[in-house]
Amino acid sequence: MSERITLFVNVILPIPIYKEFTYRIPHDMKDQVGVGIRVIVPFGKSKLYTGIITKISETAPIEYTAKYVEHILDNQPLITPQQYQLWKWISSYYMCSIGEVMNAALPSNFKLASETKVVLHPEYSNNCNNLDEREKEIVEALEIKESLDLKEISEIIGIKTVHPIIKKLYDKRILLPFEELNNRYRAKTALYVSLSANYLDENLLNSLIANLEVQKKSEKLLHALLSVLNTGNFSKDGFNPIEKKVLINSGVSSSSLSTLEKKGIIEIVPYAISRFKLNDKEQAAFKSFSEAQKVAFNEIQTTFDTQNVTLLHGVTGSGKTEIYVQLIQEQLDLGKQVLFLLPEIALTTQLIRRLSHYFGDLVGVYHSRFNQNERIDIWNHVLKNDFNRFRIILGARSSVFLPFQDLGLIIVDEEHEPSFKQYDPAPRYNARDVAVILGHQFKAKVLLGSATPSMESYQNAKNGKYGLVELNTRFGNLLMPEILCADLKKERKQKTLHSHFSSFLLEHISEALKAKEQIILFQNRRGYTPLWNCEICSWTPKCKHCDVSLTYHKHVNQLKCHYCGYVSPPIGSCKSCGSNRLKMLGFGTEKIEDELQLIFQDAKIQRLDLDATRSKNAYENIINDFESRKIDILIGTQMVSKGLDFDHVSLVGILDAELLLNRPDFRAFERSFQLMSQVSGRSGRKHKRGKVILQTSDPDNWVIRKVIEHDYIGFYESEIMERKNFFYPPFYKIIAFTLKSKDEHILNDASQHFAQELRLIFKERVMGPEYPIIKKIQNNYLKVITLKIEKEASDKMIKERLQQLIDAFYSVPSFKSIRIVTDVDPA
């Protein structure tokens, strides 16, 4: 008898540990294993995790005894080899574990939840004498129901924390825990009607129809069946199933269907269906290019002959989307898949409509506002490389993790946006940069588009690493908007300010409303007012968990922390001196909405910010109302600055330019120029030249002058010299280490130690440690150490050395409680 071969598999687990783990495959599962397939494996004392197989071998691990795989979840691989390679690159480049990448990449419902449940111990003998009342309630409930989870137990005994009671029952050998896997993904189903197997023969079917006709019964059903026959739904295998809802809508009663089912004539069964509506509308013809668009399109195709990545620098309103559409069609004609990345979920609303107008059901949307089951449906379509659905994926940064099979083109629109950067949790990746790597894997072309490119991308284009195409005129030769300054310092002296609005801005708003035109007002701060302040002692209410003042939100009458979510009722008196003289300082979008409504009482005013768009369809509803002119004035945060296209906006107001310019960040001027230019670009896009009023106390600021002149090149040339002189990107790479601890003294010691170890190797390239602007968030004190590395240095060697330093840091017992957050290329 031949010896049975023992198989072992390497498995990625969704935990922050920098290695894969080896498990043993039971002999009865050997035929089911494959790379890319999910498995359930034990880890630690009692936990079960969903892992993904990355390698199959006959080699057992040396350091430990391999545990057995508990269960295999898939018949086919869930991820592709290209995805695994991308995960490894992200793990290496962004200095995180591959398990953290897996967590970010997979929809949550692909990762089974392990829920702790309890059962009665087999040795338990129904003796409740030594139990208290709550323990008795638990035991009695388990005698009725075989198992209970901790939430159910909490509801039964009426207290929130049940863990101490459960532990006592464990100790008394009355209960046993077990891990039950809860597969949260459910395919969406609908009831379908089909003929039973008895009527597959056409003669029997004709006999049935004749019988129904003679009896004059189920006449509507008969007509429905004949209608289906005429559309070719009948084949030698019988009827293709018809959705029950369709039959009922055609006039068939539910009771008639039930009667036929009872007689064995039909079967009503659930079938899995797509969660996405099919687009039955006829696809529209492409718009004709302007001369400038035609030139840009040809230049892109030419640069793609020699470059894999091209930057399209096109001013706002120049018609970049129409160029994207033509490039997408070229790839579809070649049978390729297309990824269209957007920085914000908000931007998908208009673009979905525009792309669906051209491509119908070939457009799929993937972002976090979709529920997990919808995301899984998109995942499965992309994995199957379906030629009829979802060839074009439109999505936010997580779309780079989809299982593409034959990717031909990646478009990164608004490539400069910091929203492409993932901040927390790990992996802290930039989707724009990951898209370039993804394109390289598939030998696909990558097009970066922006009116205000990032310094890094424009520098890459200028030095020849990327192709560069310029589109400097608006579609229809419309002029760029006229940008005017409202001098706040001057208006304060003249006492012509109305609250936070200059008389200059109010005058132009009034003119636009009289002309039945629309207005967008931009203030990059939500809430009503960011600061309450005691006039006597200057005390301000602060978050109890973070070192930050609370923002007042009038619509819920609460003070809120925008970092941890802590809320407090409004303060009636100063907590320091007891004074009732509290005043509000500053203004957010809520206050603008309130005060503007008092000034323009007949105008329809709406906010577009995070608070106003928390529900799934809120953003889409607001945009639709603004497009259909149900809203006159739209007040928003940076949501209104990104890629939106409205026909009737003649005026844009930027209410506080200083708020943007005065941030202590080396990117402050770049971000300010981009935001002001982008929001200005929402004005005057279709019918006439738009106007922008920029409120500032410093109208001569050089950044503001460049915005007014629409001079990106001039801004770039000034800023790039500063970056070079002070050793910042794109000439240097930055890695930021944020150390966190609840104990400030331990944090200070640990951060000094870590900085000294870094300086032994990297010398003057190390800056810090220092407190960030907000020194405490969620009860954790923070210290930041910044490392600047020459761009030419070996990335792999540096990160390997850094990982060794981090490992050595954690070998010091007193530093075990410190958490180090590593952020490569912080935005």
Side-chain angles (χ1 to χ4, degrees), residues 190-209:
L191 292 176
Y192 275 70
V193 177
S194 62
L195 282 170
S196 67
N198 297 332
Y199 293 96
L200 291 181
D201 182 270
E202 196 165 354
N203 293 326
L204 289 175
L205 177 64
N206 290 333
S207 174
L208 165 67
I209 292 172

Side-chain angles (χ1 to χ4, degrees), residues 6-11 19-26 41-44 57-70:
T6 301
L7 291 183
F8 295 88
V9 291
N10 286 9
V11 175
K19 63 180 292 186
E20 298 175 13
F21 294 89
T22 303
Y23 287 86
R24 186 172 177 174
I25 294 292
V41 294
F43 188 79
S57 72
E58 298 175 20
T59 306
I62 298 171
E63 300 89 354
Y64 55 91
T65 302
K67 296 179 180 180
Y68 279 96
V69 168
E70 296 273 342

Side-chain angles (χ1 to χ4, degrees), residues 204-229:
L204 289 175
L205 177 64
N206 290 333
S207 174
L208 165 67
I209 292 172
N211 187 42
L212 286 171
E213 197 168 22
V214 168
Q215 296 181 24
K216 299 295 180 184
K217 289 182 179 179
S218 305
E219 187 176 343
K220 287 181 179 176
L221 176 60
L222 172 63
H223 289 157
L225 293 174
L226 288 172
S227 173
V228 173
L229 279 170

Side-chain angles (χ1 to χ4, degrees), residues 20-139:
E20 298 175 13
F21 294 89
T22 303
Y23 287 86
R24 186 172 177 174
I25 294 292
H27 290 292
D28 60 350
M29 294 185 187
K30 280 184 180 179
D31 295 337
Q32 302 170 49
V33 297
V35 172
I37 281 176
R38 289 178 303 158
V39 289
I40 300 299
V41 294
F43 188 79
K45 290 184 178 179
S46 60
K47 287 291 182 183
L48 296 174
Y49 284 98
T50 303
I52 291 183
I53 296 174
T54 61
K55 182 181 177 182
I56 303 169
S57 72
E58 298 175 20
T59 306
I62 298 171
E63 300 89 354
Y64 55 91
T65 302
K67 296 179 180 180
Y68 279 96
V69 168
E70 296 273 342
H71 189 64
I72 294 175
L73 292 174
D74 304 310
N75 296 321
Q76 300 292 330
L78 188 75
I79 70 167
T80 66
Q82 289 95 334
Q83 278 178 293
Y84 178 54
Q85 292 304 315
L86 185 68
W87 291 9
K88 288 204 295 184
W89 180 86
I90 291 171
S91 171
S92 171
Y93 185 82
Y94 291 103
M95 298 183 66
C96 61
S97 73
I98 197 165
E100 289 171 314
V101 182
M102 171 185 163
N103 258 335
L106 293 184
S108 296
N109 285 1
F110 276 146
K111 297 168 283 188
L112 302 184
S114 181
E115 296 179 350
T116 301
K117 290 200 169 191
V118 296
V119 295
L120 286 174
H121 197 290
E123 297 173 9
Y124 175 64
S125 58
N126 291 331
N127 184 2
C128 293
N129 295 334
N130 63 340
L131 302 182
D132 63 30
E133 287 302 312
R134 284 174 174 162
E135 290 172 342
K136 283 180 183 177
E137 285 182 75
I138 295 170
V139 169

Side-chain angles (χ1 to χ4, degrees), residues 12 29 72 105 126 138 182 189 201 239 252 293 310-311 461 631 651 685 705 792 796:
I12 305 173
M29 294 185 187
I72 294 175
N126 291 331
I138 295 170
N182 172 29
T189 60
D201 182 270
F239 275 107
V252 178
Q293 284 175 313
T310 292
L311 173 65
I631 298 169
L651 178 67
R685 293 175 70 92
R705 300 317 304 173
E792 300 76 26
K796 183 179 179 182

Side-chain angles (χ1 to χ4, degrees), residues 419-548:
S419 304
F420 279 124
K421 172 74 173 179
Q422 164 79 7
Y423 291 97
D424 220 26
R428 293 171 180 83
Y429 66 99
N430 189 310
R432 176 197 64 207
D433 300 336
V434 173
V436 172
I437 301 299
L438 182 64
H440 177 72
Q441 282 187 335
F442 283 92
K443 295 182 172 56
K445 300 302 180 183
V446 179
L447 182 65
L448 310 177
S450 177
T452 53
S454 65
M455 301 297 288
E456 289 88 344
S457 294
Y458 202 76
Q459 173 75 358
N460 283 334
K462 294 293 283 184
N463 66 23
K465 185 176 179 181
Y466 297 167
L468 176 62
V469 176
E470 306 271 4
L471 184 55
N472 294 320
T473 56
R474 280 188 148 188
F475 186 78
N477 292 317
L478 203 64
L479 290 174
M480 294 295 289
E482 180 185 13
I483 303 179
L484 305 169
C485 275
D487 191 337
L488 294 179
K489 191 184 291 184
K490 183 178 176 181
E491 291 222 11
R492 284 192 192 99
K493 284 182 181 177
Q494 296 174 348
K495 297 185 178 179
T496 53
L497 275 177
H498 297 263
S499 182
H500 307 290
F501 309 104
S502 64
S503 59
F504 189 61
L505 175 61
L506 292 178
E507 181 184 329
H508 281 84
I509 291 174
S510 182
E511 288 175 5
L513 290 173
K514 284 177 185 175
K516 304 296 182 185
E517 293 165 342
Q518 291 175 296
I519 300 108
I520 290 176
L521 296 180
F522 171 69
Q523 167 67 354
N524 205 25
R525 179 177 273 159
R526 61 190 173 95
Y528 190 81
T529 183
L531 196 67
W532 281 22
N533 183 259
C534 175
E535 293 183 3
I536 305 299
C537 68
S538 298
W539 173 85
T540 60
K542 288 193 171 186
C543 174
K544 63 192 293 187
H545 308 299
C546 309
D547 183 29
V548 63

